[in-house]
């Protein structure tokens, strides 16, 4: 665990993707915005109405541009770690669409009278590390003087149309996989309370700085029917979105969920280390869930920052899928199944 004099989390009221506006309020905002992207341009394949990970624009040559942006307030104290995590999180949207990133632009808000310029430079250094890992340039950006530190990227990517993956397209019978462990929200809340063991911090940081580049590999595979990344709305929220977009329901086997430091995570939860975003998430989509109260509910609703890919795979191709993942050093957890729906209210059951 790195020690830093800056303590960035002291300057933020939220942490990482946990500071996202809740799904319910976001829906209200979009409903009042009267944004209508459906009829703007027929080349716009994925827009605001789709609630997917990124916008997608058809270039007319068999490929499409992927465009996305993501930014948030510090989830860790170290500026380099903060910049790297925020950058990896933004890049994830492109990978979740089955594409490869091409270039990134930085978005920086900095309390210039509270934190030194050096710390902001270290945030950018962290972002450069992530972009270098992804093989793309961090080509510029925009900055403002803001009350809280804010950082993220606007990312442009590209994908062949036949490789484009959506959060819709899952079919009843598909096997559901998750590529990163859960628990980031609980652990970073424990950090803010001064209760986090340094070893558990390192585990959380290491998962957050790992690129979801697997998505670009899976984009080429027809047996991957749907894909999205798991961030601020938690596993349950993003699975609800996938189910809604696909017209299916899902059953998640709680004991199969990958978790960072499982025994410790339960202890932190019992100590009250639950992010405010967890309650906002459940209030927004809890009517679509069947889940036990307490730890089970709080884990599946735990807001993730730079979380893993949630993937729906044809049941006849799971062996091929798992073998392909191993070739690139990934071992996704099999967490449940897509099922036909009896109604439109309950979309996800956790047993």
């Amino acid at each position: 665990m790195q020690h830093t004099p800056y303590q960035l989390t002291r300057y933020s009221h939220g942490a990482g993707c946990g500071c996202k506006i809740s799904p319910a309020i976001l829906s209200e905002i979009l409903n009042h915005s009267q944004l209508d992207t459906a009829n703007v341009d027929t080349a716009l394949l994925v827009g605001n109405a789709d609630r997917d990970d990124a916008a997608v624009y058809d270039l007319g040559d068999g490929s499409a541009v992927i465009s996305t942006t993501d930014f948030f307030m510090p989830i860790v104290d170290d500026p380099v770690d903060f910049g790297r995590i925020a950058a990896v999180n933004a890049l994830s949207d492109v990978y979740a669409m089955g594409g490869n990133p091409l270039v990134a632009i930085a978005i920086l808000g900095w309390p210039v009278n509270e934190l030194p310029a050096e710390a902001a430079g270290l945030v950018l250094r962290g972002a450069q590390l992530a972009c270098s890992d992804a093989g793309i340039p961090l080509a510029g950006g925009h900055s403002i003087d803001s009350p809280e530190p804010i950082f993220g990227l606007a990312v442009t990517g590209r994908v062949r149309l036949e490789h484009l993956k959506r959060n819709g397209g899952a079919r009843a019978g598909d096997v559901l996989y998750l590529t990163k462990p859960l628990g980031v929200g609980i652990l970073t809340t424990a950090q803010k309370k001064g209760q986090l063991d340094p070893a558990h911090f390192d585990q959380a940081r290491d998962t957050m700085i790992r690129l979801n580049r697997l998505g670009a590999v899976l984009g080429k595979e027809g047996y991957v029917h749907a894909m999205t990344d798991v961030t601020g709305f938690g596993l349950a929220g993003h699975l609800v979105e996938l189910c809604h977009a696909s017209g299916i329901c899902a059953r998640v086997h709680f004991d199969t969920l990958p978790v960072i430091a499982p025994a410790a995570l339960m202890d932190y939860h019992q100590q009250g280390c639950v992010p405010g975003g967890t309650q906002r998430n459940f209030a927004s989509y809890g009517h679509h869930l069947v889940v036990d109260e307490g730890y089970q509910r709080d884990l599946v609703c735990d807001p993730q920052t730079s979380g893993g890919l949630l993937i729906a795979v044809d049941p006849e191709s799971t062996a091929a899928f798992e073998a392909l993942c191993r070739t690139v050093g990934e071992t996704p957890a099999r967490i449940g199944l897509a099922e036909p729906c009896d109604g439109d209210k309950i979309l996800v059951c956790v047993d």
Side-chain angles (χ1 to χ4, degrees):
M1 181 176 180
Q2 290 181 307
H3 296 282
T4 173
Y6 299 113
Q7 296 183 309
L8 295 186
T9 56
R10 290 179 50 209
Y11 298 89
S12 62
H13 75 275
C17 288
C19 63
K20 288 176 69 170
I21 292 175
S22 74
I25 295 176
L26 179 59
S27 293
E28 185 177 354
I29 290 171
L30 293 174
N31 288 340
H32 285 289
S33 71
Q34 298 183 336
L35 290 175
D36 182 11
T37 58
N39 299 313
V40 172
D41 191 330
T42 56
L44 184 64
L45 303 180
V46 183
N48 176 69
D50 297 279
R51 306 291 177 89
D52 217 321
D53 293 299
V56 180
Y57 191 87
D58 187 353
L59 293 175
D61 62 356
S63 70
V65 165
I66 302 173
S67 182
T68 186
T69 186
D70 212 319
F71 53 89
F72 46 66
M73 291 165 281
I75 190 168
V76 293
D77 286 325
D78 183 78
V80 175
D81 284 342
F82 172 41
R84 192 169 186 179
I85 291 166
V88 169
N89 181 74
L91 290 162
S92 182
D93 288 339
V94 173
Y95 291 128
M97 305 297 290
N100 282 296
L102 297 174
V103 65
I105 302 293
I107 300 165
L108 175 69
W110 205 250
V112 295
N113 293 324
E114 300 288 337
L115 285 165
E118 176 194 18
L122 293 174
V123 172
L124 290 171
R125 182 185 300 175
Q128 287 177 321
L129 289 172
C131 289
S132 177
D133 193 20
I136 67 168
L138 180 57
H142 182 69
S143 60
I144 62 169
D145 182 357
S146 65
E148 296 177 282
I150 298 170
F151 186 74
L153 300 180
V155 185
T156 300
R158 193 164 187 171
V159 66
R160 297 294 303 174
L161 292 179
E162 65 267 26
H163 298 160
L164 176 64
K165 299 301 179 185
R166 306 281 303 274
N167 65 356
R171 308 167 191 175
D174 281 353
V175 180
L176 302 174
Y177 288 86
L178 182 64
T179 65
K180 288 187 183 183
L182 302 173
V184 165
I186 292 172
L187 292 176
T188 53
T189 300
Q191 180 195 22
K192 290 197 75 168
K193 291 187 172 188
Q195 299 172 226
L196 187 65
D197 185 301
H200 300 147
F201 169 86
D202 291 344
Q203 291 179 57
R205 180 201 56 211
D206 290 349
T207 190
M208 288 189 284
I209 64 174
R210 180 159 57 91
L211 288 170
N212 280 324
R213 65 171 88 244
L214 174 65
V217 177
L218 297 179
K220 301 174 184 178
E221 304 300 331
Y223 53 70
V224 174
H225 294 159
M227 188 159 57
T228 190
D229 64 341
V230 177
T231 56
F233 297 162
L235 171 64
H238 291 284
L239 183 52
V240 164
E241 289 187 335
L242 185 148
C243 288
H244 186 267
S246 302
I248 52 97
C249 290
R251 184 170 299 275
V252 172
H253 306 307
F254 187 77
D255 290 342
T256 67
L257 292 178
V259 177
I260 303 170
L265 199 73
M266 292 186 69
D267 288 341
Y268 291 129
H269 179 267
Q270 290 174 357
Q271 295 169 34
C273 299
V274 180
T278 299
Q279 308 305 326
R280 293 193 297 272
N281 282 342
F282 185 74
S284 295
Y285 54 70
H287 58 290
H288 289 307
L289 302 180
V290 174
V291 62
D292 290 345
E293 293 186 4
Y295 180 65
Q296 187 180 98
R297 179 196 64 195
D298 291 346
L299 182 64
V300 299
C301 296
D302 187 49
Q304 302 303 288
T305 297
S306 192
L309 297 173
L310 175 62
I311 309 160
V313 178
D314 188 295
E316 300 298 320
S317 300
T318 56
F321 166 80
E322 292 174 11
L324 177 61
C325 290
R326 286 194 295 271
T327 66
V328 293
E330 295 278 359
T331 54
R334 189 186 295 213
I335 65 167
L337 292 171
E339 298 181 340
C341 286
D342 294 328
D344 61 357
K345 184 176 181 181
I346 302 300
L347 297 180
V348 177
C349 294
V350 182
D351 59 23

